Amino acid sequence: MARKMKLRTREQGGLVEVLVVVKHPMETGLRTDKATKKKIPAHFIQNVDLEHNGKVVATAHLGIGISESPLIGFRLKDGKPGDPVKVSWSDNKGESGSMEAVIEL
């Protein structure tokens, strides 16, 4: 299933901030469905990678304590307008996605 993503860049304190939102349920595996009384299986993003100019420059390892449809931010020192960035993610059920953009300030 392709999940919606939003990615944007902005200048923040002399750095380039890359912000991404992934529409994802982020289930902990600890909640119970009120109707069926069964546990809702864990389903959460595990890894998020940021590429800048084709090179992975940051990786975030996430767990179950992250909110639904998380907003994840990275800051780049050497980002310039027009540089390509790509954010990729994968979850514990084998789903993955990515989105590319160009730095705009």
Side-chain angles (χ1 to χ4, degrees), residues 30-78:
L30 304 174
R31 290 188 329 123
T32 303
D33 185 306
K34 291 178 183 174
T36 65
K37 306 292 187 221
K38 292 183 180 180
K39 288 274 187 191
I40 300 170
H43 189 191
F44 57 93
I45 296 173
Q46 290 182 307
N47 297 306
V48 180
D49 292 326
L50 171 65
E51 291 181 33
H52 176 232
N53 289 326
K55 180 181 174 188
V56 175
V57 294
T59 299
H61 301 286
L62 308 181
I64 62 173
I66 307 294
S67 68
E68 179 180 346
S69 299
L71 169 65
I72 302 161
F74 297 94
R75 289 194 176 152
L76 295 171
K77 277 200 270 187
D78 301 326

Side-chain angles (χ1 to χ4, degrees), residues 2-45:
R3 300 214 177 259
K4 284 188 174 181
M5 294 177 69
K6 291 182 184 178
L7 189 150
R8 78 172 213 195
T9 60
R10 66 180 181 181
E11 192 274 329
Q12 182 77 13
L15 303 173
V16 174
E17 188 170 56
V18 179
L19 299 169
V20 64
V21 174
V22 180
K23 186 158 176 59
H24 195 283
M26 298 299 285
E27 284 295 343
T28 65
L30 304 174
R31 290 188 329 123
T32 303
D33 185 306
K34 291 178 183 174
T36 65
K37 306 292 187 221
K38 292 183 180 180
K39 288 274 187 191
I40 300 170
H43 189 191
F44 57 93
I45 296 173

